[in-house]
Each structure stands twice: as C-alpha cells, then as structure tokens.
Amino acid sequence: MSPPLGGSSEPLHRPSAFLSEIALPAAPVSATMREKANRGLPAVWIGGGVFLTFAILAFLMQRAGLSVDPWARTTLPFYAVGIVAISARMFLPGSGWRHSRVVSDCAEYYGIFITIALMGAVSCYPVVALTHGYADAKLQAVDELLHFDWLVWYTAVANSGTLQAVGTAAYRSIFITPAVLLAYYGITAQRAEAHRFIFTFWLAAIITLTLFTFMPAVGPFSYLWHAPITYMPESELWQPNLIPQLRARTVHIVDLGQLRGLVSAPSFHACAATLYAAAAWRVPRLRWPLIAVNGAMLLSTPVEGTHYLSDILLGMAIAGVALVIVHYAIAAMRDKAA
C-alpha cells in the first residue's frame, strides 16, 4: 500500500491543512487514514488532460500553418521512447520479474511526463505565431517598480566564469528533479503522489501557455542589451529571431530535435522550480538536495533564461495556483469518498 499523501488529520479544505501538507513531514497515520489518503487524482484526469492538450495542439498547429515531420530523423527517437515505455507498462506487470512493478510504474510516469513536456514545448510555436505585439515595455516597467536591474545581473554573470558554469548547469537541471522524484515514487509505490505531481505540472503548463498569449516578449537580453555580447546565455536570442518568422508564416516545420524556448512571460523555469520544491518538501529524504538544486535554477533564470523579474514572479504565482487547485480537487474527492 502506498504511503499517504499527507499526514495531517485536519480536514483538507482548511487553509492550514494545505500549508501543513506542503510544508511539514508526514506524521504516522492509521491504516484507514492511509487508505483514504491514497485516493488521489483519478488516472483518467491525466489521460483526459493529455488527450485534450493533443487535440488543442493539433488545432493550433493547423491554424498557424505548422506541422511536425513524422519521419524526420530527430522525430524517430521519440517513437523509440514511446514504444519502450508502453511495452514496459503493458507487459512487465505479468512477467514475474521482481522489479517489474517498479520499472513498469516508472515507464508510465516518465512516458506521460515526457509527453506533456514535449507537447508544451511544441505548443510554444503555434501560440506565438498567433500573437501580436510585444509586452517587454510593460514587463520592464514592472521590474523598475520592483527596483530590479537585469543589466546588473547579466554583467555580474558575464564577468564570472564560475557564475556562468553554475548558472548553466542549474538552468539545465529542469528535467533532473522530475526524473528523481518520479523514480522515487515508482520505487516507493506512491502512485497517488506521482499522479498528483504529473497533473500539477500539466495544469501549470496549460496556465503558463494561456497567459503567454497575452504577453509575448523577446526578453530583457534583446530588449535591454545593446552593446557587443560578452556572454551568450543558455537561452540565446531565439525569441527576437523566431517570433517574427512564425508570425510571418515563414516557418512551417517544427523540428522536435531543435525545440527552442519561446515563452518569456510567465517563466516556466520559475514555475517548475516552485512546483519541484513543493513536491520535494514532501519527501524528507530528497528535500534539501532538490530544494538546493531548484533554488539555484530559480536564481539562474533571469540571465540564463533571459527573464524579467516580473516573468519569474508570474511563474511562481502560477505554480502556487496550480498547487492550490490540485490540493482542493483532491480534498473534494476525499471528502466525497469519506
């Protein structure tokens, strides 16, 4: 039987229960409470979310005049990953192998997570193709109100090889935390926690892409830096180059092997770091290492992701909204099943 989703005996619809569920280690619970706690999000919610996302993505791609070459060399590895994940999930449980449950569960979690992440990355292209104008002036104005100077951050990183190396590694760690967490959920048989984490990630991605349609931007690097480039951040300068081409319909094929991040505001790196830290806090064995990694990723995001502080705060707020929505959805289902 899976460990509980939370150790508080306080009714889950109370705000204090929500805070303790995220911020406190699980306390010992009875078998009855443990059984109720494992009534997490139905798997059909995740399946329905993935199907709905695919349908919307197909519609947006058609409207933007974009497509993915199904037989491109860079597309084939995704087929291989899908075949391996589906085969492991379908055939391993009845194989009698002692590790079959762990491997099949992990195959399911990784397969779904990769699918969601891939669709989110591809969705940036048709979404940005259907937008107009830029929100950089407004985003920079908010940063000025917050007394945040992006140029100071960039200059500090550009003058330090250590900050460049650490920042790049931290920024690239966006897929390390979910890989660790999903493996942990698989090994410890926490299906409810895995589904909760995946669904929250999906919901946050949907909210981020929706808000992005109202605030497309080229980012502070392009908007603020007008001198010779002394250090090229990890995200480079894809937004000012690709956004006009997509809007002009001069790009027709999305290469899955060369996907570029086009979402400036809100920052999904900041959103992901917040989601990952919240999930890590619920796992005492992994808590501090993963929080440190995601704290570093959050600090690297202004320069390596070329994001305004307002982008980052929006991303963190989206993560909070997604966490609250999923928390109350689970609480409502538990109350209904009680």
Side-chain angles (χ1 to χ4, degrees):
M1 184 174 293
S2 306
L5 292 176
S8 174
S9 60
E10 189 175 1
L12 290 171
H13 55 273
R14 296 180 185 173
S16 58
F18 169 66
L19 295 175
S20 64
E21 185 177 348
I22 289 181
L24 296 176
V29 295
S30 67
T32 301
M33 291 176 62
R34 185 183 296 268
E35 182 179 354
K36 289 181 179 180
N38 281 312
R39 294 169 183 167
L41 293 167
V44 69
W45 282 30
I46 297 176
V50 171
F51 179 80
L52 178 63
T53 303
F54 181 81
I56 295 174
L57 174 58
F59 172 74
L60 292 175
M61 292 284 281
Q62 190 276 329
R63 281 201 60 192
L66 295 170
S67 63
V68 174
D69 183 356
W71 306 116
R73 181 177 300 178
T74 52
T75 305
L76 300 180
F78 292 98
Y79 293 149
V81 171
I83 291 171
V84 170
I86 293 172
S87 298
R89 187 66 189 93
M90 290 181 62
F91 302 116
L92 277 181
S95 66
W97 181 38
R98 65 189 182 113
H99 300 300
S100 60
R101 198 272 310 158
V102 172
V103 175
S104 64
D105 282 356
C106 286
E108 174 192 328
Y109 305 155
Y110 287 138
I112 296 173
F113 188 88
I114 291 172
T115 299
I116 293 171
L118 181 62
M119 289 194 296
V122 174
S123 296
C124 298
Y125 287 72
V127 167
V128 78
L130 299 171
T131 61
H132 304 279
Y134 296 97
D136 291 274
K138 294 179 180 178
L139 295 169
Q140 174 58 18
V142 174
D143 275 16
E144 291 175 0
L145 289 175
L146 297 172
H147 301 288
F148 178 78
D149 192 334
W150 185 89
L151 292 173
V152 171
W153 279 63
Y154 172 75
T155 302
V157 174
N159 293 333
S160 171
T162 299
L163 289 178
Q164 293 170 22
V166 173
T168 300
Y171 191 75
R172 291 177 178 176
S173 71
I174 188 169
F175 294 117
I176 291 179
T177 298
V180 172
L181 284 170
L182 293 175
Y184 178 82
Y185 296 146
I187 292 170
T188 57
Q190 297 189 61
R191 280 186 76 78
E193 280 291 275
H195 288 168
R196 177 195 189 118
F197 176 75
I198 293 171
F199 188 82
T200 307
F201 180 87
W202 169 82
L203 179 60
I206 293 296
I207 298 173
T208 299
L209 285 168
T210 301
L211 291 181
F212 172 56
T213 63
F214 300 100
M215 53 187 75
V218 295
F221 191 31
S222 298
Y223 187 71
L224 299 175
W225 186 263
H226 305 296
I229 297 174
T230 55
Y231 170 66
M232 182 63 76
E234 178 70 13
S235 60
E236 301 186 18
L237 290 170
W238 293 106
Q239 286 130 325
N241 294 326
L242 261 178
I243 291 176
Q245 295 179 47
L246 288 165
R247 288 175 173 176
R249 304 296 196 271
T250 58
V251 175
H252 302 289
I253 301 295
V254 178
D255 186 345
L256 298 187
Q258 298 293 326
L259 292 173
R260 306 300 179 187
L262 299 176
V263 178
S264 177
S267 166
F268 193 68
H269 261 75
C271 179
T274 306
L275 293 178
Y276 298 167
W281 192 269
R282 298 160 60 83
V283 184
R285 293 180 179 180
L286 304 175
R287 179 180 301 161
W288 297 116
L290 292 185
I291 286 179
V293 168
N294 287 285
M297 183 170 75
L298 196 61
L299 291 174
S300 73
T301 298
V303 173
E304 298 305 331
T306 64
H307 282 289
Y308 301 96
L309 178 59
S310 50
D311 301 342
I312 295 171
L313 295 177
L314 279 170
M316 296 174 69
I318 288 171
V321 169
L323 287 165
V324 170
I325 291 174
V326 172
H327 164 79
Y328 282 105
I330 292 176
M333 285 183 287
R334 290 183 191 170
D335 290 343
K336 184 178 180 180

